[in-house]
Amino acid sequence: MARRTTSNSTGSSPGPRNRTPQPLPRRRRTFGDFLKAFVALVALLLLLIGVPGALASQIGWPLPSGSPGLDWLQKEISVDTFINTLTVVVWFAWAQFTACVLVEVKAALSGVGLPNRVPGAGPSQLLARQLVAALLLVGATAASFTPGLSQLGQQLDGNQRPAAAAAQQTPGGLLGQQQEQAASTAAALAEQAASAAAHAESGTGAHASDDDTKFYRIQPPEGRHHDSLWEVAERHLGDGRRYKEIYQLNKDRTQPDGSKLSEASLIRPGWIMEMPGDARGGELVEMPDEAPKVSEDVQQQISDYARTGGAQGAGGQQGGGSGSLDRDTAHISLPEQRPAPDQGHQQGQDGRQGQEHAAPAAGEDGGFGLPQALLGAPLLAAGLLGALGRRRRQALWQSALGAVGGRRGMEPPTPTGAAADAQDALLVGADPEGVRLLDLSLRGLAASLAGESRPLPTVYAAWMSGNGDLHLQLAQPAGKPPAPWQLGQDQTFWMLARADAERYEDVDTAAPYPGLVSLGTMDDSRLLLNLEAVPGIVSLSGREQDRAGVFASVAAELATNGWSDRMTITLVGFGEDLTPLAPNRLRHLDDIEALVETMEAETRQRRGALGAAGHDSVLTGRTGPAQHTRWAPHLVLLAAEPSAEDAVTLAELAADASRLGIGYLVGTQSGDLPGAAWEMEITSEGKLLAPLLGLELDAQLLPVSQQRAVVELFTDADPERDDDRPTTTPPFLVDISEQGRPAVYARLVGPYEIIGLETPDGERSPLLHEALALLLLHREGVHPRVLSSALWPRGVTDDVRDALVERLRAWLGNDPDGTPRLGTDSTGRLKLAKSVVSDLDVLRSLYHEATQGRGADSRAVRGRLLTDALVLVRGPLLAERPAGRYGWLTHEIIDAQLPLLVADIGLALSAFHLEKGRAEKAIEALNAALGSAPGDERLWNELLRATHATGDSDRLKSLAADLVSRSGARGLPPRTEALLDELLPTWRSGVAAVG
């Protein structure tokens, strides 16, 4: 595909590309260059020499010649006094500007890093930088200048390095939105070689021959682009993945600035890298003498560095890098790992360890046919599982209250096929504890910073390490973090140990970084990129189907994650409609034109809101007393590749997006997207590559087939769905006659008891009981991996799980016909025989038979069945269960189903008694149901009616007062107030009297 072009002030030129920088062609200096240099020289002479000369000759010494007395202070201010005061100010301004010129000249000639800042000299230093840059533009040492030339009307395309330089094309913004531009220094033109003899003396014989030894000097940053080992390897070794070889040759060797290379992505301008023997390219020379532009100091630096190869570079242990402060914010670096105590028993990042949780390659399925993409995405799975549970509870309550067309039912539809596999994968892969700790840690950090009146630092990424520690990578150093956070491997990392995170408690503060989203894993650490903090567009290239998997994963996690309060996620170009996952967060737009119109309005609104609130960015609006919901992020996921014109418009909108809390992730087929600040590529092997960021991740994906399965789970649970399928029949009905007596009977409603089996001996008894309870609550069958993840949240090997299943099968025994009471269905799921039942099964069956079976036609049968059902209720589900076990119940909706079922039984039995005027019996039934469902408004309202039927007004007033006291500050629900107005018009005054 041809390279895109974008328009600018000078005409049409190729759009910037920062993925694989190429050497720029050398051009001859023009007359305009010399003219600008002459003008800059004259300006510098006037400012540096003319100004002090004019002050000295025309005004003279402005300060008093002696020590002033009290009478001097009382004198009237004259014109001379005013002129002398102004002269002192001008002298100070001249001294500051002179210091700025000296700093800029030193930085230009040294070629190492960016110029130091002169305190309080922002405009002065900028002017000095422009003048020095223009003056040295025509010289051999014109380089390493940041903004300035573009502001003088000169495009940086004209400032090229010689062919021997490590030339790289300047990436970044366009149309005036560009960040600081820089050319490389002349001191780095060919400083990439050293004496082979000196290197041989250092004892590095393990490398290639002396003639093959080469060196490379890391180039200064240019705008958004920063040199990286990946690019160096790609240019000189032919494969970016060989950056590890360069890293191994140079790690822990002392660099010219005294620091050391400790991470492959943490490199600094001016550092020297020894290259493998087969490095090739016109930019590499083998001897400093071959590069006449190199200063003697730099030659000495390279020679000194070559001598460190044997002592440090050949096989030293990786150091901590404490002396290296990486200010290269374009790199997302893998944090250093701390060894975990007792590694084999620690819960990993995804909440799972053990052989059965080893992740196959992306796109493959693990054992038992579960989708691996969901198994390997613990934070995404936890978010989806939590959102699905909330959706099902909402549908359950609306169904019970008759809010949807009179539809009633206690059971959500049972998933089948791909949807059932997706649900099982969510149950196995989810790490809700990891999500909880991440949320507590981030909110706790925000609360601590607000307490210290400190702003939130800009966070580019978060790493969740294999031992559970959390590392935040900052855009720039932000001082010492508040306790219990600690500084990480350098000043741009804040680290929180898992043990410290577990001590955090809930705090009432806004989510500080809601734009964090998982991209994948690297070396057992999971990367979460903060999309709203990226200084521009993030582009994603690769095949369309591979990009779709990344986009769907990002959208699904952003829509359901547990560390965000609220946000807007705009989707354009998605093949599957993901809106059912979170209708309040997700919205689809038809095309890019609608997106541009929407984002232009949003950008204007946010800029105005920030200005009116007096905030620099959304981060300052999320902490302290100024918290406001309008600072929630707006994240744009554009899967369709924009046209060249639309790409320019999006780049302009994204130039200020990070300050406004807006993030852009844009897909592109070619990988050449104008205005892209960060570029990523997804490969067909499931690798997410970002060479300029120093990343090579195992990508987190949500393929199209699994998107459909997940969306099906949510649409089936939609309370607004018009569904004609019967929903009132329980999935498992038992024979409630005497002939249907079960072989094994478990009492789950109340204290856990088992009738018909001997209690197993040994420490495995609690596990067997818990496994049986899980199977009894899922009569449709339980996947073996779901069973093992429920019993062993931190993971277990297949043989341990299989051994437990066999023990459970032996404990349950066989039916009289020899059939095992624990079997396996056609999908491999474990399933109980009909001869093993629980009181919950009986409770459901009794209610169904009373309302839709024989009891529907026989009043006597209905009353008997409802009474029998209510007798079974002995308390909450699995009361008195051991602490630390049955954690899987948090994923179930039985805690919402059982109270509703008991309430329905109580209401039906109350109506049965009230038909015959037995108000006391009705009250007795309602009070029994309230013991298990104390928050059900329907029971209280029916109790008011039954109490009113007794004719005892004092009793009714007492009940009303009890209801008011229970309601607290929220007050009574509107329906209850209306009912009291009907039954007891004077209830308000009566309640006050009773109170």
PDB file of all heavy atoms in Angstrom, residues 22-40:
ATOM      1  N   GLN A  22      13.773   5.082   8.990  1.00  0.00           N
ATOM      2  CA  GLN A  22      14.752   4.858   7.936  1.00  0.00           C
ATOM      3  C   GLN A  22      15.647   6.082   7.830  1.00  0.00           C
ATOM      4  O   GLN A  22      15.249   7.205   8.165  1.00  0.00           O
ATOM      5  CB  GLN A  22      14.048   4.612   6.590  1.00  0.00           C
ATOM      6  CG  GLN A  22      13.144   3.391   6.601  1.00  0.00           C
ATOM      7  CD  GLN A  22      13.923   2.124   6.808  1.00  0.00           C
ATOM      8  OE1 GLN A  22      15.072   2.027   6.373  1.00  0.00           O
ATOM      9  NE2 GLN A  22      13.314   1.153   7.464  1.00  0.00           N
ATOM     10  N   PRO A  23      16.886   5.914   7.328  1.00  0.00           N
ATOM     11  CA  PRO A  23      17.773   7.065   7.150  1.00  0.00           C
ATOM     12  C   PRO A  23      17.179   8.069   6.184  1.00  0.00           C
ATOM     13  O   PRO A  23      16.587   7.701   5.173  1.00  0.00           O
ATOM     14  CB  PRO A  23      19.059   6.446   6.605  1.00  0.00           C
ATOM     15  CG  PRO A  23      18.987   5.008   6.999  1.00  0.00           C
ATOM     16  CD  PRO A  23      17.530   4.653   6.995  1.00  0.00           C
ATOM     17  N   LEU A  24      17.315   9.352   6.509  1.00  0.00           N
ATOM     18  CA  LEU A  24      16.812  10.404   5.641  1.00  0.00           C
ATOM     19  C   LEU A  24      17.884  10.798   4.635  1.00  0.00           C
ATOM     20  O   LEU A  24      19.071  10.774   4.938  1.00  0.00           O
ATOM     21  CB  LEU A  24      16.424  11.624   6.473  1.00  0.00           C
ATOM     22  CG  LEU A  24      15.247  11.418   7.443  1.00  0.00           C
ATOM     23  CD1 LEU A  24      15.025  12.695   8.233  1.00  0.00           C
ATOM     24  CD2 LEU A  24      14.006  11.035   6.681  1.00  0.00           C
ATOM     25  N   PRO A  25      17.495  11.180   3.461  1.00  0.00           N
ATOM     26  CA  PRO A  25      18.492  11.593   2.465  1.00  0.00           C
ATOM     27  C   PRO A  25      19.142  12.907   2.858  1.00  0.00           C
ATOM     28  O   PRO A  25      18.511  13.790   3.437  1.00  0.00           O
ATOM     29  CB  PRO A  25      17.652  11.753   1.189  1.00  0.00           C
ATOM     30  CG  PRO A  25      16.269  12.032   1.678  1.00  0.00           C
ATOM     31  CD  PRO A  25      16.121  11.254   2.943  1.00  0.00           C
ATOM     32  N   ARG A  26      20.417  12.971   2.534  1.00  0.00           N
ATOM     33  CA  ARG A  26      21.170  14.201   2.844  1.00  0.00           C
ATOM     34  C   ARG A  26      20.817  15.262   1.814  1.00  0.00           C
ATOM     35  O   ARG A  26      20.675  14.979   0.632  1.00  0.00           O
ATOM     36  CB  ARG A  26      22.669  13.892   2.797  1.00  0.00           C
ATOM     37  CG  ARG A  26      23.554  15.099   3.067  1.00  0.00           C
ATOM     38  CD  ARG A  26      25.006  14.748   2.815  1.00  0.00           C
ATOM     39  NE  ARG A  26      25.867  15.871   3.072  1.00  0.00           N
ATOM     40  CZ  ARG A  26      26.723  15.930   4.065  1.00  0.00           C
ATOM     41  NH1 ARG A  26      26.833  14.918   4.895  1.00  0.00           N
ATOM     42  NH2 ARG A  26      27.496  16.990   4.226  1.00  0.00           N
ATOM     43  N   ARG A  27      20.646  16.514   2.298  1.00  0.00           N
ATOM     44  CA  ARG A  27      20.404  17.602   1.349  1.00  0.00           C
ATOM     45  C   ARG A  27      21.447  18.695   1.554  1.00  0.00           C
ATOM     46  O   ARG A  27      22.019  18.832   2.632  1.00  0.00           O
ATOM     47  CB  ARG A  27      19.006  18.184   1.518  1.00  0.00           C
ATOM     48  CG  ARG A  27      18.834  19.067   2.734  1.00  0.00           C
ATOM     49  CD  ARG A  27      17.472  19.768   2.662  1.00  0.00           C
ATOM     50  NE  ARG A  27      17.257  20.609   3.820  1.00  0.00           N
ATOM     51  CZ  ARG A  27      17.646  21.858   3.924  1.00  0.00           C
ATOM     52  NH1 ARG A  27      18.325  22.427   2.929  1.00  0.00           N
ATOM     53  NH2 ARG A  27      17.411  22.567   5.015  1.00  0.00           N
ATOM     54  N   ARG A  28      21.640  19.488   0.532  1.00  0.00           N
ATOM     55  CA  ARG A  28      22.598  20.582   0.611  1.00  0.00           C
ATOM     56  C   ARG A  28      21.953  21.756   1.340  1.00  0.00           C
ATOM     57  O   ARG A  28      20.768  21.998   1.252  1.00  0.00           O
ATOM     58  CB  ARG A  28      23.038  21.017  -0.800  1.00  0.00           C
ATOM     59  CG  ARG A  28      23.705  19.909  -1.578  1.00  0.00           C
ATOM     60  CD  ARG A  28      24.100  20.403  -2.960  1.00  0.00           C
ATOM     61  NE  ARG A  28      25.043  21.506  -2.900  1.00  0.00           N
ATOM     62  CZ  ARG A  28      26.347  21.345  -2.784  1.00  0.00           C
ATOM     63  NH1 ARG A  28      26.868  20.141  -2.743  1.00  0.00           N
ATOM     64  NH2 ARG A  28      27.147  22.392  -2.714  1.00  0.00           N
ATOM     65  N   ARG A  29      22.798  22.479   2.060  1.00  0.00           N
ATOM     66  CA  ARG A  29      22.287  23.641   2.769  1.00  0.00           C
ATOM     67  C   ARG A  29      21.962  24.748   1.781  1.00  0.00           C
ATOM     68  O   ARG A  29      22.693  24.999   0.833  1.00  0.00           O
ATOM     69  CB  ARG A  29      23.299  24.119   3.808  1.00  0.00           C
ATOM     70  CG  ARG A  29      23.579  23.076   4.871  1.00  0.00           C
ATOM     71  CD  ARG A  29      24.632  23.572   5.856  1.00  0.00           C
ATOM     72  NE  ARG A  29      24.877  22.587   6.884  1.00  0.00           N
ATOM     73  CZ  ARG A  29      25.700  21.552   6.764  1.00  0.00           C
ATOM     74  NH1 ARG A  29      26.379  21.409   5.634  1.00  0.00           N
ATOM     75  NH2 ARG A  29      25.859  20.693   7.744  1.00  0.00           N
ATOM     76  N   THR A  30      20.858  25.434   2.008  1.00  0.00           N
ATOM     77  CA  THR A  30      20.386  26.456   1.084  1.00  0.00           C
ATOM     78  C   THR A  30      20.818  27.843   1.542  1.00  0.00           C
ATOM     79  O   THR A  30      21.334  28.043   2.655  1.00  0.00           O
ATOM     80  CB  THR A  30      18.857  26.400   0.988  1.00  0.00           C
ATOM     81  OG1 THR A  30      18.303  26.725   2.271  1.00  0.00           O
ATOM     82  CG2 THR A  30      18.389  24.991   0.603  1.00  0.00           C
ATOM     83  N   PHE A  31      20.550  28.817   0.670  1.00  0.00           N
ATOM     84  CA  PHE A  31      20.840  30.211   1.023  1.00  0.00           C
ATOM     85  C   PHE A  31      20.014  30.643   2.230  1.00  0.00           C
ATOM     86  O   PHE A  31      20.468  31.424   3.067  1.00  0.00           O
ATOM     87  CB  PHE A  31      20.550  31.116  -0.181  1.00  0.00           C
ATOM     88  CG  PHE A  31      20.683  32.580   0.132  1.00  0.00           C
ATOM     89  CD1 PHE A  31      21.934  33.178   0.248  1.00  0.00           C
ATOM     90  CD2 PHE A  31      19.548  33.361   0.330  1.00  0.00           C
ATOM     91  CE1 PHE A  31      22.053  34.524   0.550  1.00  0.00           C
ATOM     92  CE2 PHE A  31      19.656  34.705   0.635  1.00  0.00           C
ATOM     93  CZ  PHE A  31      20.913  35.298   0.738  1.00  0.00           C
ATOM     94  N   GLY A  32      18.760  30.101   2.315  1.00  0.00           N
ATOM     95  CA  GLY A  32      17.916  30.430   3.471  1.00  0.00           C
ATOM     96  C   GLY A  32      18.530  29.973   4.777  1.00  0.00           C
ATOM     97  O   GLY A  32      18.387  30.648   5.814  1.00  0.00           O
ATOM     98  N   ASP A  33      19.226  28.811   4.763  1.00  0.00           N
ATOM     99  CA  ASP A  33      19.882  28.342   5.973  1.00  0.00           C
ATOM    100  C   ASP A  33      20.954  29.328   6.433  1.00  0.00           C
ATOM    101  O   ASP A  33      21.060  29.660   7.631  1.00  0.00           O
ATOM    102  CB  ASP A  33      20.507  26.970   5.747  1.00  0.00           C
ATOM    103  CG  ASP A  33      19.461  25.908   5.456  1.00  0.00           C
ATOM    104  OD1 ASP A  33      18.309  26.100   5.906  1.00  0.00           O
ATOM    105  OD2 ASP A  33      19.796  24.901   4.804  1.00  0.00           O
ATOM    106  N   PHE A  34      21.765  29.794   5.465  1.00  0.00           N
ATOM    107  CA  PHE A  34      22.828  30.734   5.823  1.00  0.00           C
ATOM    108  C   PHE A  34      22.250  32.077   6.263  1.00  0.00           C
ATOM    109  O   PHE A  34      22.777  32.729   7.170  1.00  0.00           O
ATOM    110  CB  PHE A  34      23.777  30.927   4.639  1.00  0.00           C
ATOM    111  CG  PHE A  34      24.649  29.733   4.368  1.00  0.00           C
ATOM    112  CD1 PHE A  34      24.307  28.809   3.399  1.00  0.00           C
ATOM    113  CD2 PHE A  34      25.807  29.532   5.110  1.00  0.00           C
ATOM    114  CE1 PHE A  34      25.102  27.702   3.160  1.00  0.00           C
ATOM    115  CE2 PHE A  34      26.615  28.431   4.861  1.00  0.00           C
ATOM    116  CZ  PHE A  34      26.249  27.510   3.894  1.00  0.00           C
ATOM    117  N   LEU A  35      21.150  32.478   5.651  1.00  0.00           N
ATOM    118  CA  LEU A  35      20.520  33.745   6.032  1.00  0.00           C
ATOM    119  C   LEU A  35      19.992  33.665   7.468  1.00  0.00           C
ATOM    120  O   LEU A  35      20.188  34.586   8.268  1.00  0.00           O
ATOM    121  CB  LEU A  35      19.386  34.079   5.061  1.00  0.00           C
ATOM    122  CG  LEU A  35      18.627  35.389   5.363  1.00  0.00           C
ATOM    123  CD1 LEU A  35      19.571  36.584   5.293  1.00  0.00           C
ATOM    124  CD2 LEU A  35      17.467  35.555   4.355  1.00  0.00           C
ATOM    125  N   LYS A  36      19.361  32.549   7.793  1.00  0.00           N
ATOM    126  CA  LYS A  36      18.862  32.389   9.160  1.00  0.00           C
ATOM    127  C   LYS A  36      20.008  32.340  10.164  1.00  0.00           C
ATOM    128  O   LYS A  36      19.906  32.874  11.276  1.00  0.00           O
ATOM    129  CB  LYS A  36      18.006  31.133   9.272  1.00  0.00           C
ATOM    130  CG  LYS A  36      16.645  31.271   8.626  1.00  0.00           C
ATOM    131  CD  LYS A  36      15.800  30.028   8.854  1.00  0.00           C
ATOM    132  CE  LYS A  36      14.423  30.209   8.224  1.00  0.00           C
ATOM    133  NZ  LYS A  36      13.565  29.026   8.432  1.00  0.00           N
ATOM    134  N   ALA A  37      21.093  31.681   9.779  1.00  0.00           N
ATOM    135  CA  ALA A  37      22.243  31.622  10.673  1.00  0.00           C
ATOM    136  C   ALA A  37      22.816  33.019  10.911  1.00  0.00           C
ATOM    137  O   ALA A  37      23.200  33.375  12.042  1.00  0.00           O
ATOM    138  CB  ALA A  37      23.311  30.699  10.097  1.00  0.00           C
ATOM    139  N   PHE A  38      22.880  33.855   9.841  1.00  0.00           N
ATOM    140  CA  PHE A  38      23.393  35.215   9.984  1.00  0.00           C
ATOM    141  C   PHE A  38      22.495  36.047  10.897  1.00  0.00           C
ATOM    142  O   PHE A  38      22.974  36.779  11.778  1.00  0.00           O
ATOM    143  CB  PHE A  38      23.518  35.868   8.597  1.00  0.00           C
ATOM    144  CG  PHE A  38      23.940  37.310   8.651  1.00  0.00           C
ATOM    145  CD1 PHE A  38      25.258  37.648   8.940  1.00  0.00           C
ATOM    146  CD2 PHE A  38      23.019  38.328   8.437  1.00  0.00           C
ATOM    147  CE1 PHE A  38      25.640  38.987   9.009  1.00  0.00           C
ATOM    148  CE2 PHE A  38      23.402  39.649   8.500  1.00  0.00           C
ATOM    149  CZ  PHE A  38      24.722  39.994   8.786  1.00  0.00           C
ATOM    150  N   VAL A  39      21.164  35.924  10.681  1.00  0.00           N
ATOM    151  CA  VAL A  39      20.226  36.681  11.523  1.00  0.00           C
ATOM    152  C   VAL A  39      20.352  36.241  12.984  1.00  0.00           C
ATOM    153  O   VAL A  39      20.333  37.067  13.907  1.00  0.00           O
ATOM    154  CB  VAL A  39      18.777  36.484  11.022  1.00  0.00           C
ATOM    155  CG1 VAL A  39      17.777  37.098  12.001  1.00  0.00           C
ATOM    156  CG2 VAL A  39      18.614  37.113   9.635  1.00  0.00           C
ATOM    157  N   ALA A  40      20.503  34.935  13.212  1.00  0.00           N
ATOM    158  CA  ALA A  40      20.644  34.447  14.577  1.00  0.00           C
ATOM    159  C   ALA A  40      21.923  34.948  15.222  1.00  0.00           C
ATOM    160  O   ALA A  40      21.953  35.300  16.411  1.00  0.00           O
ATOM    161  CB  ALA A  40      20.627  32.911  14.577  1.00  0.00           C
TER     162      ALA A  40
END
